[in-house]
Amino acid sequence: MKMMYSLPSPERQRGVPCAPHGMSPNTARWRSRLRLISVIAVFCAWSAGALSAAAERPNVLLIIVDDLRPELGCYGVSRAHSPNVDRLAERGMRFDRAYCQYPVCNASRTSFLTGLRPETTRVFSNDLYFREKLPDAVTLPELFKKNGYRTVSLGKIFHAGGKLAKLSASGGADAERSWDEVKVFAPTKTGMQGEGREMTNPGGNRGWCRWLAADGGDEDQPDGQYAAEGVRILNEPREQPLFLAVGFNKPHDPFISPKKYFDLYPPESIEPPQVPEKRGPAAPLAISRATDFSKFTDQDRREFLRAYLAGVSFMDAQVGKLLAALDATDRWKNTVVVFFGDHGYHLGEHGWWNKSTVFEESARVPLIVWSPGTRGAGKATNAIVELVDVYPTLCDLCGLTAPSDLQGKSFRPVLDDPSLPGKPAAFTVVERGGVLGRSVRTDRWRYTEWDEGRKGAELYDQATDPDDYVNLADDPQHAPTVAELKKLLVSGE
């Protein structure tokens, strides 16, 4: 059998489509070009629509403060000088019962930036880079970047300290995936000079427990430089929506702030807290004795508290510069602002001057949210929320589809109605000596178990004992409450 074939026509050899029967080659070429133009026009229209939709989305200013508990005027702390954060609270919504999921920097930030709980992330320390456990997780800024936002990181957003310091030197943690731009600054030589001292070494690493009333101004410190860069970015003309995250380091140790902020707190005005006479023994793992603050002198306690407050006021002044930039550019109407501390902090309660507990002082954080058009603006709420809820809430406010595996819940309804109760409970965990402590905070109670109760349990009545001093877990009268809260811990919701 003969195989019949023919050579391609000259038009096909030149890449020109052959004319259908009865049509000239020129006509065929023009029709082909018209089809191509139509496809390009459709694509351009789709692209323009996508860009337009992105451009209409609100900007986001995310302000994360290291080691900040609700030590602010707007939270009723009269000794704290924080007029700028107070002004933000007057404009937005102040959350009075917001809780972190882990009271240590890396674990907390990994949780709220991935929208996953620590027991899912398995990041329990400051030395583990979260991508080692979560190579495929879509972080909060990464999602915004994928949806057309320009994402910028200034300062500490993901944790990159301690053994992870090399991440800062290389441009910040998760720089390529989550951010279009990352900036990390250092203090000037002037900013490292001034009056200060090393307080009594409570154990562990030296160098952290010191204060310095530094020479120079705000921009001799990294936080001042982050504020200045944030203002510059906020003032830039742009069409692309902006996701700007600013991480202020103070009041985190070492306690270094410009001297003028120390001057706001005369030493004679500083009064450390008094441990109440009526108190029960703490559970063995409730406070870590690896750092023994019983060695602190009265001078140490006063200077520590003064230096922390100076850091709060230094941070507050930098927040004020960002808010002033929103004022000057009239961008409040299209910018969502979220301000919070990454976890709480003890300032002498339970004899402790640090984080890493699941008492109320360490688990509770300040949270203030401004969202244009929400009906609850200017009000406060007692709704229980968690930092793991920030991710889905920002997606909700900005019209983005959140990843399906997020473990938080949007609190957008509360922004419209502050009388809503929020969640039934908030959960915080911490690891001590290889033992996991799991704590649940409801409207009235805080209940904590160590190693699922095998190494102790704690029950505190927040209505009568807000600082968690009287442990009721072994009181037979409260056995039904313990049983109910135990079930809540097991279910995790």
Short mmCIF file of all heavy atoms in Angstrom, two decimals, residues 389-426:
data_model
loop_
_atom_site.label_atom_id
_atom_site.label_comp_id
_atom_site.label_asym_id
_atom_site.label_seq_id
_atom_site.Cartn_x
_atom_site.Cartn_y
_atom_site.Cartn_z
N ASP A 389 -6.64 34.99 65.62
CA ASP A 389 -7.79 35.50 64.87
C ASP A 389 -7.44 36.70 63.98
O ASP A 389 -8.25 37.10 63.13
CB ASP A 389 -8.91 35.94 65.83
CG ASP A 389 -9.40 34.82 66.73
OD1 ASP A 389 -9.37 33.66 66.29
OD2 ASP A 389 -9.79 35.13 67.87
N VAL A 390 -6.26 37.28 64.17
CA VAL A 390 -5.90 38.48 63.40
C VAL A 390 -5.82 38.17 61.91
O VAL A 390 -6.30 38.95 61.07
CB VAL A 390 -4.56 39.06 63.91
CG1 VAL A 390 -4.04 40.13 62.96
CG2 VAL A 390 -4.74 39.64 65.31
N TYR A 391 -5.22 37.05 61.54
CA TYR A 391 -5.06 36.65 60.13
C TYR A 391 -6.42 36.58 59.42
O TYR A 391 -6.65 37.29 58.42
CB TYR A 391 -4.31 35.33 60.10
CG TYR A 391 -3.82 34.84 58.75
CD1 TYR A 391 -2.76 33.93 58.69
CD2 TYR A 391 -4.40 35.21 57.54
CE1 TYR A 391 -2.28 33.44 57.48
CE2 TYR A 391 -3.94 34.73 56.32
CZ TYR A 391 -2.88 33.83 56.30
OH TYR A 391 -2.42 33.34 55.09
N PRO A 392 -7.37 35.74 59.90
CA PRO A 392 -8.66 35.67 59.19
C PRO A 392 -9.43 36.98 59.23
O PRO A 392 -10.18 37.30 58.29
CB PRO A 392 -9.41 34.55 59.90
CG PRO A 392 -8.75 34.40 61.22
CD PRO A 392 -7.32 34.76 61.01
N THR A 393 -9.25 37.78 60.29
CA THR A 393 -9.96 39.05 60.36
C THR A 393 -9.46 40.01 59.29
O THR A 393 -10.27 40.68 58.61
CB THR A 393 -9.78 39.69 61.75
OG1 THR A 393 -10.30 38.79 62.74
CG2 THR A 393 -10.52 41.01 61.84
N LEU A 394 -8.16 40.11 59.10
CA LEU A 394 -7.62 40.98 58.06
C LEU A 394 -8.05 40.52 56.68
O LEU A 394 -8.34 41.35 55.80
CB LEU A 394 -6.10 41.05 58.16
CG LEU A 394 -5.55 42.01 59.22
CD1 LEU A 394 -4.04 41.86 59.35
CD2 LEU A 394 -5.91 43.45 58.87
N CYS A 395 -8.10 39.22 56.46
CA CYS A 395 -8.61 38.71 55.18
C CYS A 395 -10.06 39.16 54.99
O CYS A 395 -10.45 39.61 53.90
CB CYS A 395 -8.52 37.19 55.13
SG CYS A 395 -6.84 36.54 55.03
N ASP A 396 -10.84 39.05 56.03
CA ASP A 396 -12.25 39.42 55.99
C ASP A 396 -12.41 40.91 55.68
O ASP A 396 -13.21 41.32 54.83
CB ASP A 396 -12.88 39.08 57.33
CG ASP A 396 -14.40 38.99 57.28
OD1 ASP A 396 -14.98 39.28 56.22
OD2 ASP A 396 -15.00 38.63 58.32
N LEU A 397 -11.63 41.74 56.34
CA LEU A 397 -11.74 43.18 56.17
C LEU A 397 -11.27 43.65 54.79
O LEU A 397 -11.72 44.69 54.30
CB LEU A 397 -10.94 43.91 57.25
CG LEU A 397 -11.46 43.77 58.69
CD1 LEU A 397 -10.47 44.37 59.67
CD2 LEU A 397 -12.83 44.42 58.83
N CYS A 398 -10.36 42.90 54.20
CA CYS A 398 -9.77 43.31 52.92
C CYS A 398 -10.31 42.53 51.73
O CYS A 398 -9.83 42.69 50.60
CB CYS A 398 -8.25 43.18 52.98
SG CYS A 398 -7.49 44.27 54.20
N GLY A 399 -11.29 41.68 51.95
CA GLY A 399 -11.93 40.97 50.84
C GLY A 399 -11.09 39.88 50.23
O GLY A 399 -11.23 39.57 49.05
N LEU A 400 -10.22 39.24 51.02
CA LEU A 400 -9.37 38.16 50.53
C LEU A 400 -9.88 36.82 51.06
O LEU A 400 -10.43 36.74 52.17
CB LEU A 400 -7.92 38.36 50.98
CG LEU A 400 -7.26 39.70 50.64
CD1 LEU A 400 -5.80 39.68 51.06
CD2 LEU A 400 -7.39 40.01 49.16
N THR A 401 -9.68 35.79 50.27
CA THR A 401 -10.06 34.44 50.70
C THR A 401 -8.96 33.86 51.55
O THR A 401 -7.83 33.69 51.10
CB THR A 401 -10.31 33.53 49.49
OG1 THR A 401 -11.36 34.10 48.69
CG2 THR A 401 -10.71 32.13 49.93
N ALA A 402 -9.27 33.55 52.80
CA ALA A 402 -8.27 33.02 53.72
C ALA A 402 -8.00 31.55 53.42
O ALA A 402 -8.89 30.84 52.93
CB ALA A 402 -8.76 33.18 55.16
N PRO A 403 -6.79 31.06 53.69
CA PRO A 403 -6.53 29.62 53.55
C PRO A 403 -7.52 28.81 54.39
O PRO A 403 -7.93 29.24 55.47
CB PRO A 403 -5.09 29.48 54.09
CG PRO A 403 -4.47 30.83 53.88
CD PRO A 403 -5.58 31.81 54.10
N SER A 404 -7.86 27.66 53.89
CA SER A 404 -8.91 26.86 54.54
C SER A 404 -8.47 26.25 55.86
O SER A 404 -9.31 25.82 56.66
CB SER A 404 -9.37 25.75 53.59
OG SER A 404 -8.28 24.90 53.25
N ASP A 405 -7.16 26.18 56.11
CA ASP A 405 -6.69 25.49 57.31
C ASP A 405 -6.45 26.42 58.49
O ASP A 405 -5.95 26.00 59.53
CB ASP A 405 -5.41 24.71 57.01
CG ASP A 405 -4.26 25.62 56.56
OD1 ASP A 405 -4.52 26.79 56.21
OD2 ASP A 405 -3.10 25.14 56.56
N LEU A 406 -6.80 27.70 58.38
CA LEU A 406 -6.58 28.61 59.50
C LEU A 406 -7.38 28.17 60.71
O LEU A 406 -8.51 27.70 60.60
CB LEU A 406 -6.99 30.04 59.11
CG LEU A 406 -6.21 30.72 57.99
CD1 LEU A 406 -6.56 32.20 57.93
CD2 LEU A 406 -4.70 30.54 58.14
N GLN A 407 -6.78 28.34 61.90
CA GLN A 407 -7.43 27.88 63.12
C GLN A 407 -8.02 29.03 63.94
O GLN A 407 -8.56 28.80 65.02
CB GLN A 407 -6.43 27.07 63.96
CG GLN A 407 -6.04 25.77 63.27
CD GLN A 407 -4.97 25.01 64.02
OE1 GLN A 407 -3.94 25.56 64.38
NE2 GLN A 407 -5.22 23.73 64.25
N GLY A 408 -7.88 30.25 63.44
CA GLY A 408 -8.52 31.38 64.08
C GLY A 408 -9.87 31.66 63.46
O GLY A 408 -10.29 31.01 62.50
N LYS A 409 -10.54 32.66 63.99
CA LYS A 409 -11.87 33.04 63.51
C LYS A 409 -11.95 34.55 63.40
O LYS A 409 -11.51 35.28 64.29
CB LYS A 409 -12.94 32.52 64.47
CG LYS A 409 -14.37 32.84 64.05
CD LYS A 409 -15.35 32.28 65.07
CE LYS A 409 -16.79 32.60 64.67
NZ LYS A 409 -17.76 32.09 65.69
N SER A 410 -12.49 35.05 62.32
CA SER A 410 -12.61 36.49 62.12
C SER A 410 -13.47 37.12 63.21
O SER A 410 -14.56 36.64 63.51
CB SER A 410 -13.21 36.80 60.75
OG SER A 410 -13.50 38.18 60.63
N PHE A 411 -12.96 38.21 63.79
CA PHE A 411 -13.77 38.95 64.76
C PHE A 411 -14.36 40.22 64.14
O PHE A 411 -14.73 41.16 64.85
CB PHE A 411 -12.97 39.29 66.03
CG PHE A 411 -11.65 39.98 65.82
CD1 PHE A 411 -11.58 41.30 65.44
CD2 PHE A 411 -10.46 39.30 66.04
CE1 PHE A 411 -10.37 41.95 65.26
CE2 PHE A 411 -9.23 39.93 65.87
CZ PHE A 411 -9.19 41.26 65.49
N ARG A 412 -14.53 40.20 62.83
CA ARG A 412 -15.12 41.36 62.17
C ARG A 412 -16.50 41.71 62.74
O ARG A 412 -16.82 42.89 62.91
CB ARG A 412 -15.22 41.13 60.67
CG ARG A 412 -15.82 42.32 59.93
CD ARG A 412 -15.82 42.15 58.43
NE ARG A 412 -16.34 43.33 57.76
CZ ARG A 412 -16.31 43.51 56.45
NH1 ARG A 412 -15.78 42.59 55.67
NH2 ARG A 412 -16.80 44.62 55.91
N PRO A 413 -17.36 40.72 63.07
CA PRO A 413 -18.67 41.10 63.63
C PRO A 413 -18.56 41.95 64.89
O PRO A 413 -19.39 42.83 65.13
CB PRO A 413 -19.32 39.74 63.92
CG PRO A 413 -18.69 38.80 62.94
CD PRO A 413 -17.27 39.26 62.83
N VAL A 414 -17.52 41.71 65.69
CA VAL A 414 -17.35 42.49 66.92
C VAL A 414 -17.02 43.94 66.60
O VAL A 414 -17.41 44.86 67.33
CB VAL A 414 -16.24 41.87 67.80
CG1 VAL A 414 -16.00 42.71 69.05
CG2 VAL A 414 -16.60 40.44 68.19
N LEU A 415 -16.32 44.18 65.48
CA LEU A 415 -15.99 45.55 65.10
C LEU A 415 -17.24 46.37 64.77
O LEU A 415 -17.22 47.60 64.84
CB LEU A 415 -15.03 45.54 63.90
CG LEU A 415 -13.65 44.96 64.16
CD1 LEU A 415 -12.87 44.81 62.85
CD2 LEU A 415 -12.87 45.81 65.14
N ASP A 416 -18.31 45.68 64.43
CA ASP A 416 -19.58 46.36 64.20
C ASP A 416 -20.47 46.39 65.44
O ASP A 416 -21.30 47.28 65.60
CB ASP A 416 -20.35 45.68 63.06
CG ASP A 416 -19.82 46.09 61.68
OD1 ASP A 416 -19.48 47.27 61.51
OD2 ASP A 416 -19.74 45.22 60.80
N ASP A 417 -20.27 45.41 66.32
CA ASP A 417 -21.11 45.33 67.52
C ASP A 417 -20.24 44.89 68.70
O ASP A 417 -20.06 43.69 68.94
CB ASP A 417 -22.24 44.33 67.30
CG ASP A 417 -23.19 44.27 68.49
OD1 ASP A 417 -22.94 44.97 69.49
OD2 ASP A 417 -24.18 43.52 68.41
N PRO A 418 -19.69 45.84 69.46
CA PRO A 418 -18.79 45.49 70.56
C PRO A 418 -19.46 44.76 71.71
O PRO A 418 -18.78 44.25 72.59
CB PRO A 418 -18.27 46.86 71.02
CG PRO A 418 -19.27 47.85 70.56
CD PRO A 418 -19.84 47.30 69.30
N SER A 419 -20.79 44.67 71.71
CA SER A 419 -21.48 43.95 72.78
C SER A 419 -21.45 42.44 72.57
O SER A 419 -21.82 41.68 73.48
CB SER A 419 -22.93 44.42 72.88
OG SER A 419 -23.67 44.02 71.73
N LEU A 420 -21.03 41.99 71.39
CA LEU A 420 -20.96 40.55 71.14
C LEU A 420 -19.93 39.91 72.07
O LEU A 420 -18.92 40.53 72.42
CB LEU A 420 -20.58 40.29 69.69
CG LEU A 420 -21.61 40.69 68.63
CD1 LEU A 420 -21.05 40.49 67.23
CD2 LEU A 420 -22.90 39.90 68.80
N PRO A 421 -20.14 38.65 72.46
CA PRO A 421 -19.24 38.02 73.45
C PRO A 421 -17.92 37.54 72.88
O PRO A 421 -17.00 37.22 73.63
CB PRO A 421 -20.07 36.84 73.96
CG PRO A 421 -20.95 36.49 72.80
CD PRO A 421 -21.29 37.79 72.14
N GLY A 422 -17.81 37.47 71.56
CA GLY A 422 -16.59 36.92 70.97
C GLY A 422 -16.57 35.41 71.13
O GLY A 422 -17.60 34.74 71.09
N LYS A 423 -15.39 34.87 71.38
CA LYS A 423 -15.24 33.42 71.52
C LYS A 423 -15.66 32.95 72.92
O LYS A 423 -15.57 33.71 73.88
CB LYS A 423 -13.79 33.03 71.28
CG LYS A 423 -13.33 33.17 69.84
CD LYS A 423 -11.89 32.71 69.72
CE LYS A 423 -11.55 32.39 68.27
NZ LYS A 423 -10.17 31.89 68.13
N PRO A 424 -16.04 31.68 73.03
CA PRO A 424 -16.32 31.14 74.37
C PRO A 424 -15.08 31.10 75.25
O PRO A 424 -15.17 31.19 76.47
CB PRO A 424 -16.84 29.73 74.10
CG PRO A 424 -17.25 29.73 72.66
CD PRO A 424 -16.34 30.71 71.97
N ALA A 425 -13.90 30.94 74.61
CA ALA A 425 -12.67 30.80 75.39
C ALA A 425 -11.46 31.13 74.54
O ALA A 425 -11.51 31.10 73.31
CB ALA A 425 -12.55 29.37 75.93
N ALA A 426 -10.35 31.46 75.23
CA ALA A 426 -9.06 31.67 74.58
C ALA A 426 -8.07 30.67 75.16
O ALA A 426 -8.11 30.36 76.36
CB ALA A 426 -8.56 33.10 74.80
#
